[in-house]
Amino acid sequence: MSGKSARADLSFGTKLAYGVGSIAYGAKLQVLGVVLFFYNQMLGLPAHMVSTVLSAAIVIDAIWDPLVGQISDNTRSPWGRRHPFMYASALPVALCVIFMLNPPAGLSGTGLLVFAAAMAVGARMMISLYEIPNSALVAELAPDYDRRTSLMSWRYFFQTVGQATAISLSSFVFLRPHDGLPGQFNKAGYGPFALTVGVIMFASIVVSSLGTHGQIRHLRTPERRKSSFREIARGVLLTLSNRNLVVLSVAGMLFGFMVGLAGGLTFYFNTYLWGLSTAQIGTIALSALVGAVPAVILAPLLSRRFGKKPVCVALFFCSIVAVTAPIAGKLAGIMPPSGSGALVLLLLAAHMTTSAFSMMGFIIVSSMIADIVEEIELTTGQRSEGLLFAADTFLQKVTTGVAAGLPGWLLLRVGLPVGAHPKTVDPHIMIHLAQLYLPTVTVLMLCSTTCILFYRIDRQQHESNLRRIADAAALAETVEEALHQPLDPAA
């Protein structure tokens, strides 16, 4: 590897540019969150079939991630290892998102289902082409134990900004009440919504890539080497078998089940269980942005004071309570009536609290993943940031993909009609769905958080890893200089 490294302290502009790119990822999450509802309730496709193709899209994306990570780790170009992929992703991901909610006229049945699958796969693969290399940058941009957490705060804050922007556009601009129906049923609004979000995603990726382009000269360049397939496979195996990576990957896998299940049902719960309008849904969702402000400030401070692992575990246990409390209250019969102002206030408080706890936890756990980079470098002699972040998301995306197929089948199981107005749906249908959902997500989140207790890298270990790498680099440089010294004739 080249001995170059990023500056010890990044400028405000570089941090801002790095964070802005996550607007694209946050906005994409909001678009994908309505795909099942759109194709099921608006276009009439069976929910279980749409869930199945969306599930397959996530699994394909999971297989794609390690390939992107490994290729970007070993890329040599005038634009470095990461930026060529970041630039290349901008236009394709925007087009996939736009077309996803703008299917060609005349498509129906199998043709429409295939189109939905193709756009979902394309959107996920192209955002990963940006996200994996971009995530890998943090380990070099911020090698310090605490600065990594600070840089991750920028990333997660702007991801929330992206989600909030997409939520605002859907709830207050495009999906407004129409012909006496809630905004969720305003079919004509979905297309312009996707178009606007696609343009925003394109702009955020380009701006972030350009804004961090100046850092390329400070980043590592992989050595030119001809490695056999066996050597490459051995390096990949050593990376993937790292104890701390395995621990966080298993935690992510269990969390992925929860994400896949919750992601497909949240829009249904908001519509049919809570009886919310699009404006109320938007207001509640936007509370995440309020929770993000203290989260990005407190996460670095708490991890610096108490250590990353203890704070991360405590935050995730708190978020479990906040996530499950509203539905538990509904099943216990103590929540206010559906659609009421009191209910909206309670859901808003729960969502804001959950978002703050979760964001702090994710900021810190992402920093913990970056801390594994140096430990793996000591084992393999190579920097594998891209593969490392891709490996962490691989199992999570596989399980998310598997779980993403469940919402449609659960909706089929409880008998929710297609295109039903919220006021005409039997309340017992959604209560039955909540009874299936609540214990499942609670157990998954508890198990996921417990896994993090087995992570072993702390501040002392990380600083030791950095010293050992610096010592090895200094020794290699000394040996290289000695080998190129001209011989003394007198000697």
Side-chain angles (χ1 to χ4, degrees):
M1 291 285 181
S2 167
K4 295 182 290 186
S5 61
R7 289 193 297 268
D9 193 16
L10 299 173
S11 68
F12 173 81
T14 301
K15 293 176 183 177
L16 180 63
Y18 182 75
V20 162
S22 291
I23 290 176
Y25 188 78
K28 180 219 69 171
L29 291 176
Q30 184 62 21
V31 173
L32 289 176
V34 304
V35 170
L36 174 59
F37 190 93
F38 175 73
Y39 279 92
N40 171 223
Q41 298 292 327
M42 297 296 95
L43 302 184
L45 291 179
H48 63 287
M49 295 302 295
V50 180
S51 273
T52 300
V53 300
L54 295 179
S55 172
I58 299 173
V59 173
I60 292 170
D61 180 35
I63 297 170
W64 166 252
D65 280 4
L67 296 176
V68 173
Q70 178 72 351
I71 293 170
S72 71
D73 282 339
N74 295 284
T75 293
R76 293 177 62 96
S77 82
W79 289 357
R81 293 191 288 170
R82 315 299 179 187
H83 282 73
F85 302 97
M86 291 159 58
Y87 285 120
S89 69
L91 183 59
V93 72
L95 292 176
C96 287
V97 166
I98 291 168
F99 288 127
M100 189 184 301
L101 299 184
N102 285 280
L107 275 184
S108 62
T110 302
L112 186 60
L113 193 64
V114 170
F115 178 83
M119 292 303 101
V121 169
R124 288 189 173 278
M125 290 178 68
M126 289 302 100
I127 198 65
S128 291
L129 192 65
Y130 171 77
E131 275 290 304
I132 296 299
N134 184 259
S135 298
L137 280 176
V138 75
E140 291 184 82
L141 291 175
D144 179 80
Y145 184 80
D146 293 314
R147 286 195 177 109
R148 282 181 176 171
T149 308
S150 177
L151 188 57
M152 280 297 181
S153 295
W154 289 80
R155 181 182 188 84
Y156 278 90
F157 175 76
F158 279 99
Q159 179 177 315
T160 304
V161 169
Q163 286 183 279
T165 300
I167 288 165
S168 299
L169 290 171
S170 63
S171 300
F172 304 112
V173 179
F174 295 111
L175 303 186
R176 303 177 69 177
H178 181 69
D179 291 338
L181 292 173
Q184 298 96 304
F185 295 88
N186 185 355
K187 182 179 177 182
Y190 283 90
F193 166 59
L195 175 61
T196 307
V197 170
V199 172
I200 291 171
M201 292 176 67
F202 174 82
S204 73
I205 290 174
V206 172
V207 168
S208 181
S209 300
L210 289 172
T212 55
H213 195 98
Q215 289 293 314
I216 294 172
R217 65 183 183 275
H218 300 292
L219 304 178
R220 303 264 186 145
T221 302
E223 295 177 356
R224 294 187 185 276
R225 62 174 70 184
K226 291 184 178 180
S227 301
S228 66
F229 175 79
R230 183 176 180 179
E231 290 172 328
I232 294 173
R234 179 179 178 275
V236 171
L237 183 61
L238 285 172
T239 298
L240 300 183
S241 61
N242 177 272
R243 171 201 168 95
N244 292 300
L245 177 59
V246 170
V247 165
L248 294 183
S249 294
V250 172
M253 176 186 71
L254 294 169
F255 186 78
F257 270 111
M258 191 281 293
V259 170
L261 185 61
L265 292 178
T266 297
F267 212 65
Y268 285 88
F269 279 132
N270 286 335
T271 301
Y272 295 107
L273 180 67
W274 304 122
L276 303 178
S277 67
T278 48
Q280 290 172 326
I281 293 172
T283 301
I284 292 169
L286 286 175
S287 66
L289 189 58
V290 179
V293 176
V296 299
I297 296 171
L298 290 175
L301 295 177
L302 291 173
S303 66
R304 184 181 298 116
R305 175 66 179 84
F306 300 105
K308 295 180 183 179
K309 183 177 78 172
V311 174
C312 182
V313 171
L315 289 168
F316 280 139
F317 274 123
C318 290
S319 70
I320 292 170
V321 176
V323 164
T324 57
I327 289 184
K330 181 69 173 181
L331 294 179
I334 59 174
M335 292 294 281
S338 295
S340 65
L343 175 67
V344 172
L345 287 176
L346 283 176
L347 293 177
L348 188 149
H351 186 70
M352 182 169 59
T353 305
T354 300
S355 299
F357 284 141
S358 299
M359 181 178 292
M360 285 190 282
F362 289 131
I363 288 169
I364 296 172
V365 82
S366 297
S367 182
M368 291 162 66
I369 294 169
D371 290 341
I372 303 173
V373 168
E374 287 78 18
E375 185 174 72
I376 290 176
E377 184 176 2
L378 288 170
T379 304
T380 66
Q382 293 181 284
R383 300 281 295 191
S384 302
E385 300 96 327
L387 178 60
L388 179 67
F389 277 92
D392 175 67
T393 61
F394 173 76
L395 286 177
Q396 181 175 336
K397 284 188 175 181
V398 169
T399 53
T400 300
V402 172
L406 296 179
W409 292 97
L410 288 175
L411 292 169
L412 181 67
R413 170 73 177 82
V414 300
L416 180 68
V418 173
H421 190 284
K423 293 182 179 179
T424 66
V425 173
D426 183 350
H428 291 94
I429 290 177
M430 295 308 295
I431 292 296
H432 186 194
L433 186 63
Q435 289 170 339
L436 298 173
Y437 173 85
L438 181 62
T440 306
V441 298
T442 303
V443 170
L444 288 171
M445 293 180 73
L446 284 171
C447 292
S448 175
T449 303
T450 302
C451 285
I452 300 175
L453 291 170
F454 296 94
Y455 181 87
R456 289 291 179 264
I457 300 177
D458 56 14
R459 182 189 306 276
Q460 183 179 0
Q461 180 63 49
H462 177 70
E463 291 175 351
S464 172
N465 290 340
L466 289 177
R467 284 194 301 271
R468 290 170 63 189
I469 290 171
D471 291 344
L475 178 60
E477 187 174 341
T478 301
V479 170
E480 186 174 354
E481 288 177 356
L483 290 173
H484 289 83
Q485 283 287 342
L487 293 175
D488 185 349

